[in-house]
């Protein structure tokens, strides 16, 4: 190859890289300044062995699903403040265990919260009582949803799929609010700590569980994620929220095998840190705080010096 041709190829490669970086990273850059951009954002925040998920709609309406554990308040509040968020249109507390409502009091007292959605089950803990007292104090509307309820929020459809029944005895996980979120062709399923019994009920109720992204139930425990359920969901991406070296051994090895059997790409907060997904309604792009050696070949790695503050690794899929 002569020098002229080489130069042309180099120039074209640089141009291709610039185009790729511009289009792939643009939404992330935009969002740092909270500008409208037609993207739905879902942040699986790394709070360790607890759940906290922030959803930001194209016109910057915010939905928070769970609020980390006791002691995670600084991470949760810091993340929301970094995103310049002052108002949360919806906060969903999936169920009243501390690893889901731990930072709830601080969230409700620090932000302008319009609506709280929670299951109709109480917990006899200081964490729960201080949370509901603060919700009451601030006069925030509380909804105990029924399965089948639909919320239309800024072009996003959120459908409640569980709990299907009203009495599960003392197992609070089984009261977990499960919701499906649709934006264009992209779809997500958020499961809290819903268990096998809930998964079976959702299948029996005939709900459409087939989504692109599954927040794996109960931190990847063996008590959730039955084969039948995963075959109904067939997620492209499975996200597990769990702490590094946690004492529960989450995620369970069998759960990981079952997810692999349905060909899900697995992301974990204990390995990948905070996991960001954004969708234009046709594709979903995943941005990881930390890449894994296993998947590194699929990622485009940015040079930090070119794009300050962007240190994510990015991969995209077309939605179902
Ligand atoms: Zn939990």
């Amino acid at each position: 190859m002569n020098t002229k041709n080489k130069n042309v190829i180099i120039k074209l490669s640089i141009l291709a890289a610039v185009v790729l970086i511009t289009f792939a990273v643009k939404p992330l850059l935009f969002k740092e300044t909270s500008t409208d951009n037609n993207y739905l954002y879902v942040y699986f925040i790394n709070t360790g062995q607890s759940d906290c998920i922030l959803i930001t709609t194209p016109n910057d309406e915010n939905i928070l699903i769970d609020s980390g554990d006791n002691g995670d308040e600084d991470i949760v509040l810091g993340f929301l403040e970094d995103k310049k968020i002052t108002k949360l249109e919806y906060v969903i507390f999936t169920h009243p265990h501390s690893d889901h409502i731990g930072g709830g009091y601080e969230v409700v007292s620090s932000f302008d919260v319009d609506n709280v959605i929670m299951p109709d089950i109480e917990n006899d803990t200081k964490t729960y009582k201080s949370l509901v007292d603060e919700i009451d104090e601030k006069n925030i509307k509380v909804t105990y949803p029924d399965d089948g309820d639909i919320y239309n929020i800024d072009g996003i459809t959120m459908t409640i799929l569980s709990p299907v029944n009203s009495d599960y005895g003392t197992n609070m996980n089984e009261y977990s609010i499960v919701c499906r979120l649709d934006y264009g062709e992209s779809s997500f399923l958020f499961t809290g700590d819903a268990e096998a019994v809930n998964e079976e009920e959702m299948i029996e109720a005939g709900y459409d569980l087939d989504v692109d992204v599954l927040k794996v139930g109960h931190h990847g425990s063996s008590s959730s994620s039955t084969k039948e359920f995963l075959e109904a969901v067939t997620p492209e991406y499975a996200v597990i929220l769990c702490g590094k070296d946690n004492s529960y051994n989450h995620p369970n090895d069998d759960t990981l095998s079952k997810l692999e059997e349905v060909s899900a790409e697995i992301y974990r907060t204990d390995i990948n840190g905070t996991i960001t997904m954004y969708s234009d309604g046709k594709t979903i792009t995943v941005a990881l705080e930390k890449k894994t050696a296993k998947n590194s070949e699929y990622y485009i790695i940015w040079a930090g010096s070119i794009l300050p503050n962007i240190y994510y690794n990015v991969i995209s899929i077309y939605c179902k």
Side-chain angles (χ1 to χ4, degrees), residues 14-152:
I14 292 170
L15 181 67
V18 168
V19 168
L20 200 63
I21 287 169
T22 306
F23 285 96
V25 177
K26 200 175 161 192
L28 281 174
L29 290 172
F30 268 26
K31 217 57 190 179
E32 288 197 340
T33 53
S34 195
T35 308
D36 176 10
N37 60 22
N38 289 325
Y39 280 87
L40 167 77
Y41 283 75
V42 179
Y43 304 95
F44 299 91
I45 303 168
N46 180 20
T47 51
Q49 185 64 21
S50 57
D51 273 20
C52 187
I53 301 162
L54 171 69
I55 298 159
T56 299
T57 70
N59 290 304
D60 288 335
E61 296 205 19
N62 298 299
I63 305 161
L64 188 73
I65 303 181
D66 290 330
S67 56
D69 207 335
N70 290 314
D72 295 335
E73 303 80 18
D74 288 350
I75 302 174
V76 177
L77 265 53
F79 194 92
L80 297 177
E81 283 159 8
D82 269 1
K83 298 287 169 206
K84 314 268 189 293
I85 288 169
T86 55
K87 186 173 178 181
L88 296 161
E89 275 71 11
Y90 290 88
V91 178
I92 300 174
F93 293 111
T94 60
H95 64 295
H97 277 152
S98 69
D99 61 322
H100 295 257
I101 62 165
Y105 170 86
E106 286 78 7
V107 165
V108 169
S109 61
S110 309
F111 296 90
D112 184 6
V113 176
D114 280 353
N115 298 280
V116 164
I117 298 175
M118 62 203 308
D120 193 7
I121 178 77
E122 294 180 356
N123 198 355
D124 189 23
T125 59
K126 210 176 139 207
T127 307
Y128 176 77
K129 284 174 187 156
S130 62
L131 170 62
V132 291
D133 284 351
E134 186 66 10
I135 291 170
D136 196 35
E137 178 77 22
K138 291 189 76 174
N139 228 350
I140 298 166
K141 186 184 171 201
V142 179
T143 305
Y144 308 110
D146 291 321
D147 65 305
D149 284 358
I150 291 175
Y151 296 80
N152 291 304

Side-chain angles (χ1 to χ4, degrees), residues 185-188 210-214 233-238 284 317-320:
E185 290 161 26
S186 60
S187 50
F188 298 76
D210 188 7
V211 294
D212 299 306
V213 181
L214 170 68
V233 179
T234 56
E236 299 295 317
Y237 294 149
I284 295 174
I317 56 155
Y318 283 98
C319 301
K320 284 173 182 171

